[in-house]
Amino acid sequence: MGSGSNNNTTLEDLAKLAGVSVSTVSRALNDQPLISTRTKQRIWALARDHNYPFRHYMPAGPIGAEGSIAIVTPHMRGRPLPLSHPFFLELLASIGEAARARDCDFTVSHTAPANYDDLVHATTTSRASGVIFLGQSMLHEALNQLASTNARFVVWGAQMPGQRYTSIGSDNVLGGRRATLHLARLGRKQILFLGSTDPEAMQRRAGYSEALAESGLEEDPKLIVPVDFEFESAEAAVSRLLRRHIAFDGIVASSDLIALGAIRALRRAGVSVPEDVSVVGYDDMLLSRLSTPALTTIRQDTHEAGRLLVSRILDGSTDHMPALLPTDLIVRESCGG
């Protein structure tokens, strides 16, 4: 809240501060279409800064929630992140459980920010208590800029150099390192890395490189293959490698969905998992436990992630330190050891 916050701010006070009529303030708080978006943003920001209880002033939600949180998914590689992605569905469920425990509603926004102005729009055109961004995409600097405003937001994503905003995420470098070391200890010598170019995947790749060096294995550029954050992209990439007769005996995938796509390509080509190729994923989605073979993976604690994301919004913490959640190697059948 702003430094001049109090609990006695009235509609008349907001009208004077905004230089508009009381009826305009009332219509803006009720999100009426007659009021311009720019005016609404200014009045909502003033209401937040001066602790005006505008959520109680507006019509109550269907279950009388104590607050609300907006979930926003930025553009990833030029398009909105698919809401159907299994890991994000599990993370959304954890956020929903944490919000429900705090008597709070949450909504998934239709917006998909691609630049700073989009981020501002996402945080100022909602009457929610704050915004959770699922992923940074390529918006790290824009999020740093947003942190200098009065926007209340938190990011699920990687901890980045020079970061000024709050993020919650797993220790991606350690997770990538653990996955790769596990394969090296099983005697795998030609370990393929499959991942996208988002910050989290790049940190997992850094852990992969560290583990290769630690294991005395040479990094082969042909075995670092960029793929999209989806099943079909990984399947196609592994199929291409097999057709080109590029040898590999292990795969570190930057997500479980990528790992499962790789396994399908291997099985279609008659390559046995784990006898011929060992595979490790990342996320520990429900699908990874149900797949055949069951997938060895790096577990992210989505339950704790949901709790932390919600509490950082609702408790209004001024602590902008990122939170790194621990990662665990979950050994199942896809590695053979």
Side-chain angles (χ1 to χ4, degrees):
M1 301 299 174
S3 57
S5 297
N6 60 71
N7 292 314
N8 302 311
T9 304
T10 64
L11 276 178
E12 289 78 9
D13 294 332
L14 290 179
K16 287 177 184 175
L17 288 164
V20 298
S21 68
V22 171
S23 62
T24 296
V25 172
S26 175
R27 291 188 182 107
L29 293 175
N30 279 287
D31 198 18
Q32 291 190 5
L34 293 173
I35 307 301
S36 72
T37 298
R38 186 179 296 275
T39 299
K40 288 176 187 174
Q41 289 175 338
R42 188 156 50 91
I43 290 171
W44 292 339
L46 286 168
R48 288 193 183 95
D49 281 351
H50 293 271
N51 208 22
Y52 181 76
F54 63 105
R55 279 178 289 276
H56 297 290
Y57 172 78
M58 294 183 294
I63 57 170
E66 292 295 320
S68 64
I69 293 172
I71 312 296
V72 175
T73 57
H75 267 68
M76 182 78 70
R77 295 174 65 87
R79 56 184 174 151
L81 185 73
L83 291 175
S84 58
H85 192 284
F87 173 73
F88 284 103
L89 287 177
E90 292 186 21
L91 184 55
L92 278 173
S94 296
I95 292 170
E97 292 293 341
R100 183 160 60 182
R102 298 287 300 269
D103 296 323
C104 175
D105 280 338
F106 79 101
T107 57
V108 179
S109 173
H110 70 282
T111 61
N115 52 48
Y116 175 72
D117 288 342
D118 290 348
L119 293 177
V120 171
H121 183 80
T123 54
T124 58
T125 57
S126 165
R127 290 167 291 174
S129 308
V131 173
I132 296 173
F133 291 106
L134 296 187
Q136 288 141 312
S137 185
M138 300 296 116
L139 296 174
H140 171 62
E141 290 304 330
L143 289 164
N144 264 348
Q145 190 178 350
L146 189 66
S148 65
T149 72
N150 66 353
R152 182 177 288 185
F153 70 97
V154 64
V155 177
W156 166 262
Q159 182 176 338
M160 305 281 283
Q163 183 170 315
R164 298 194 295 274
Y165 55 89
T166 303
S167 67
I168 310 294
S170 71
D171 190 335
N172 293 295
V173 176
L174 180 59
R177 182 171 167 271
R178 279 183 168 165
T180 310
L181 284 176
H182 180 65
L183 294 183
R185 287 171 185 147
L186 293 174
R188 302 304 185 178
K189 304 293 186 186
Q190 297 167 298
I191 302 172
L192 172 67
F193 179 86
L194 297 173
S196 59
T197 55
D198 64 282
E200 290 175 282
M202 294 303 288
Q203 290 186 354
R204 292 165 197 175
R205 175 180 159 181
Y208 158 87
S209 297
E210 285 183 10
L212 289 181
E214 186 177 336
S215 304
L217 299 175
E218 187 173 346
E219 188 171 302
D220 183 348
K222 294 195 300 295
L223 296 182
I224 298 175
V225 179
V227 297
D228 290 336
F229 201 46
E230 56 193 26
F231 183 95
E232 292 81 7
S233 178
E235 182 182 14
V238 171
S239 293
R240 284 194 298 271
L241 291 173
L242 292 171
R243 286 196 301 271
R244 292 165 55 199
H245 303 291
I246 292 178
F248 56 92
D249 56 10
I251 296 177
V252 171
S254 66
S255 79
D256 285 351
L257 209 58
I258 289 172
L260 294 174
I263 288 173
R264 186 159 83 169
L266 292 169
R267 295 182 74 173
R268 282 187 166 183
V271 178
S272 177
V273 177
E275 287 80 3
D276 300 322
V277 178
S278 295
V279 181
V280 184
Y282 200 112
D283 287 334
D284 193 29
M285 303 183 316
L286 177 60
L287 280 176
S288 70
R289 292 161 241 169
L290 303 178
S291 67
T292 304
L295 185 64
T296 295
T297 187
I298 300 294
R299 174 179 289 164
Q300 300 198 85
D301 190 344
T302 54
H303 179 78
E304 179 65 4
R307 188 190 70 79
L308 285 173
L309 289 164
V310 168
S311 67
R312 290 291 178 101
I313 294 294
L314 296 183
D315 296 338
S317 172
T318 57
D319 174 17
H320 296 300
M321 287 296 293
L324 271 186
L325 301 177
T327 54
D328 295 306
L329 175 68
I330 309 300
V331 178
R332 297 197 180 99
E333 299 166 352
S334 65
C335 284

